């Protein structure tokens, strides 16, 4: 993990132009609401609450345009058939930001960009129910999402925001031995999409 962090720091320092308007390091954290989309009526899914936290780097190339990246630990909880599946990951969002400043220290921003996710927790989850034989979920080692965000710059140091992270790649593979599911397709490959609410403190 340390090697990954220093590698990202080296890449960032290499691409930052000398005429950048501003560079700020900070800490970002918040809560998330994650739901798996499963194309099968036999398997019920609901949103679960988790959290994320980690360092972030913001670079303003112009007063109205910049990028922001982060390297954060995330715990995302999803409910499938009334059971909670916990995914522990390192997430790497890289967003292009449009800054709509009211003055030098406050305003609004819009953000969008890719998010890479690397599983660092358990890769398999199993549970049994009286109405089923056995369900097994295998998490993928990595995921790819696309973020759409909006937020407010409250001061030089504090920002709050919200992000919808759309699942592009598969979260994992679900084998549900349910009569109705087996009649349709007993190997399901759901995607996870997440709402994030965050606060960021820049030093």
């Amino acid at each position: 993990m340390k090697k990954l962090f220093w590698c990202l720091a080296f890449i960032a320092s290499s691409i930052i132009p000398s005429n950048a308007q501003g560079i700020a390091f900070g800490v970002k954290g918040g809560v998330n609401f994650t739901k798996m989309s499963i194309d099968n009526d036999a398997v019920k899914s609901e949103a679960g609450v988790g959290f994320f936290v980690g360092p972030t780097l913001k670079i303003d190339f112009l007063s109205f345009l910049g990028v922001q990246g982060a390297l954060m630990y995330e715990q995302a909880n999803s409910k499938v058939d009334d059971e909670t599946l916990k995914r522990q990951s390192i997430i790497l969002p890289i967003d292009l930001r449009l800054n709509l400043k009211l003055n030098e220290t406050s305003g609004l921003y819009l953000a969008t960009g890719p998010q890479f996710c690397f599983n660092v927790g358990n890769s398999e989850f199993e549970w049994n129910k009286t109405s089923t034989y056995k369900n097994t979920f295998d998490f993928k080692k990595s995921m790819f999402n696309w973020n759409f965000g909006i937020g407010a710059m409250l001061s030089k140091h504090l920002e709050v925001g919200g992000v919808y992270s759309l699942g592009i790649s598969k979260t994992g593979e679900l084998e549900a031995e349910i009569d109705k599911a087996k009649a349709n397709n007993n190997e399901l490959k759901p995607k996870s999409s997440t709402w994030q609410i965050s606060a960021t403190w820049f030093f």
Side-chain angles (χ1 to χ4, degrees):
M1 186 54 58
K2 288 183 178 179
K3 291 182 178 179
L4 177 59
F5 177 79
W6 288 114
C7 180
L8 293 172
F10 174 76
I11 293 173
S13 63
S14 299
I15 63 174
I16 295 173
S18 58
N19 62 342
Q21 294 289 315
I23 301 171
F25 291 92
V27 176
K28 183 176 183 178
V31 296
N32 57 37
F33 304 87
T34 303
K35 183 177 180 180
M36 292 186 187
S37 58
I38 301 175
D39 189 19
N40 192 302
D41 294 335
V43 183
K44 182 177 64 176
S45 64
E46 301 176 30
V49 181
F51 68 94
F52 56 95
V53 65
T56 184
L57 171 66
K58 180 176 66 171
I59 306 167
D60 290 333
F61 300 112
L62 301 169
S63 61
F64 62 89
L65 186 66
V67 295
Q68 183 173 354
L71 186 65
M72 300 183 290
Y73 169 80
E74 179 188 56
Q75 180 175 307
N77 299 315
S78 302
K79 292 185 178 181
V80 178
D81 277 355
D82 297 322
E83 296 283 349
T84 300
L85 275 66
K86 180 174 70 175
R87 188 186 75 241
Q88 301 176 76
S89 309
I90 298 298
I91 59 174
L92 174 62
I94 304 174
D95 294 327
L96 180 68
R97 286 176 46 128
L98 177 62
N99 300 316
L100 308 172
K101 292 186 176 182
L102 300 176
N103 51 51
E104 288 297 321
T105 60
S106 64
L108 301 176
Y109 69 85
L110 302 175
T112 188
Q115 176 174 291
F116 306 93
C117 175
F118 306 95
N119 184 26
V120 295
N122 294 331
S123 60
E124 185 176 273
F125 181 86
E126 295 185 3
W127 70 94
N128 291 276
K129 292 176 58 180
T130 56
S131 60
T132 67
Y133 296 104
K134 185 173 73 172
N135 302 302
T136 301
F137 193 98
D138 291 315
F139 286 110
K140 294 291 187 181
K141 293 182 179 180
S142 63
M143 289 172 50
F144 178 74
N145 286 33
W146 195 271
N147 291 343
F148 302 90
I150 186 171
M153 298 171 279
L154 303 180
S155 70
K156 179 180 178 181
H157 299 286
L158 180 62
E159 291 184 353
V160 295
V163 169
Y164 178 66
S165 186
L166 176 66
I168 303 298
S169 66
K170 305 296 184 181
T171 303
E173 295 185 1
L174 172 65
E175 295 183 4
E177 297 185 19
I178 304 172
D179 290 341
K180 187 176 179 181
K182 292 183 69 174
N184 186 355
N185 180 6
N186 72 325
E187 185 176 288
L188 308 174
K189 297 182 179 181
K191 298 177 181 180
S192 290
S193 294
T194 302
W195 286 98
Q196 299 175 348
I197 301 174
S198 68
T200 306
W201 182 263
F202 290 103
F203 302 109

